[in-house]
Amino acid sequence: MTVTLDAADVSALGPVAAVAAVREALAGGLEPDGDVPRAVVPLAHGQGLLMPSEHGGWYGVKVATVAPGNAARGLRRINATYLLHDSATLTPVALLDGVALTTLRTPAVSVAAGLERLRALAAGCGGLRLVVHGAGPQGEGHVAAVRAHVPVADVAVVTRRGGPVPHWADRHLAADDGGVAALVRRAEVVVTATSARAPVVDGRLVRDDAVVLAVGSHEPDVRELDSVLMGRATVLVESRATALREAGDVVMAIREGTLAPDDLVTLADLPDARATGPADRPLVVKTCGMGWQDLVVAAAAYRRKEAAAGERG
């Protein structure tokens, strides 16, 4: 029997369990560079994405679409569905809301990658100060995931035009507001979760000990971070092959000579202290999204729902 997990069922897993699922998979030997690359299908009005993966007794695939014109229609830019199978029999066991899954797993990967550095920063202050570029679900999700693991003192959201303050933030500024630079200079954490095609952060402003979580771009000619920051930072990517193929922040910095492929560290390096880099260099966690990430979080959400059903039964 195939179980359906709607958005509420997926979200109920929560950021702590999602981060744990990512870190447990990596600790158990999952090798991100061995994952199947996602297929990108050009469509008349956007892109189709197919993201299969197999690990730990599960096989799954996410089918997603990206429609840039949907914002003007009042519709979601990204839509997705996830189908989870038992790996031994290849029987489908669960159909999950793929948008909720993406919203949960993306910040889970960011926080899983930067967790030690975030904890070290939080230990030295009463709460972290965040500057979040982008007021959408990923901006909110990253704030929730950070808050679930370390104290947060202040959240400033930056968008192109500014606007009302989201319920999860303390202030909302327009990108051209003169106060943005000061906020970035003092922030321990900077999040970029935008659809921008050019840098949204001045890399000269970022603190030497800051963590930067960049998730908005997944095309080689699109970036949110400039080469100045990429050259200053320890750059942690989910997979070297994926970053060199899809991460414009990385690809363009290499092209401009501030970053070298051998400089990259990956999630597979997390047990090694060098993954978080020296404390006097920014840590940039740059992710594009991979199939294994959806798989391990989807499996955790499915197990949670089955356990809850068993308790009720």
Side-chain angles (χ1 to χ4, degrees):
M1 174 181 171
T2 303
V3 175
T4 298
L5 278 72
D6 62 16
D9 292 322
V10 174
S11 300
L13 179 66
V16 172
V19 168
V22 172
R23 289 176 68 91
E24 287 166 8
L26 293 166
L30 185 148
E31 174 49 71
D33 269 316
D35 204 27
V36 180
R38 74 171 134 214
V40 181
V41 183
L43 302 174
H45 299 287
Q47 293 177 328
L49 305 175
L50 302 176
M51 300 176 66
S53 190
E54 182 176 16
H55 174 74
W58 304 100
Y59 164 72
V61 59
K62 183 165 74 177
V63 180
T65 57
V66 183
N70 274 6
R73 303 183 181 99
L75 300 173
R76 291 192 307 205
R77 177 173 173 267
I78 297 175
N79 289 279
T81 303
Y82 196 86
L83 184 58
L84 180 68
H85 303 70
D86 173 271
S87 200
T89 65
L90 298 182
T91 302
V93 297
L95 183 68
L96 294 86
D97 185 299
V99 173
L101 179 61
T102 304
T103 300
L104 180 63
R105 68 82 158 137
T106 303
V109 174
S110 296
V111 172
L115 187 55
E116 282 75 18
R117 186 74 165 260
L118 291 168
R119 284 174 171 164
L121 285 167
C125 64
L128 301 183
R129 293 165 292 192
L130 278 62
V131 173
V132 182
H133 291 264
Q138 283 300 338
E140 179 178 2
H142 275 75
V143 172
V146 172
R147 269 199 174 114
H149 291 84
V150 294
V152 170
D154 185 78
V155 178
V157 179
V158 180
T159 59
R160 188 177 304 171
R161 298 181 182 86
V165 180
H167 69 89
W168 45 270
D170 299 291
R171 68 204 77 238
H172 186 177
L173 290 78
D176 60 0
D177 189 303
V180 172
L183 289 172
V184 172
R185 282 192 183 97
R186 71 180 188 131
E188 287 87 8
V189 181
V190 177
V191 177
T192 60
T194 75
S195 58
R197 302 187 68 85
V200 296
V201 176
D202 183 341
R204 298 169 298 179
L205 303 178
V206 175
R207 284 172 45 156
D208 290 341
D209 61 350
V211 175
V212 179
L213 308 176
V215 300
S217 66
H218 62 272
E219 298 171 78
D221 59 346
V222 175
R223 63 178 171 184
E224 298 176 294
L225 306 179
D226 61 23
S227 289
V228 172
L229 177 57
M230 300 299 276
R232 290 178 56 207
T234 299
V235 180
L236 175 57
V237 297
E238 61 224 299
S239 149
R240 183 170 282 101
T242 297
L244 296 176
R245 182 177 60 247
E246 300 178 12
D249 312 73
V250 170
V251 171
M252 285 189 269
I254 291 173
R255 188 184 305 150
E256 292 167 5
T258 66
L259 184 68
D262 289 344
D263 294 336
L264 301 173
V265 292
T266 75
L267 287 177
D269 299 319
L270 274 183
D272 188 331
R274 86 185 190 100
T276 56
D280 61 351
R281 297 187 67 184
L283 173 65
V284 168
V285 178
K286 171 57 199 167
T287 63
C288 298
M290 297 181 68
W292 69 266
Q293 301 161 3
D294 293 306
L295 178 66
V296 299
V297 175
Y302 169 69
R303 289 193 298 266
R304 179 196 172 279
K305 179 160 184 175
E306 288 297 282
E311 289 173 4
R312 289 194 300 269

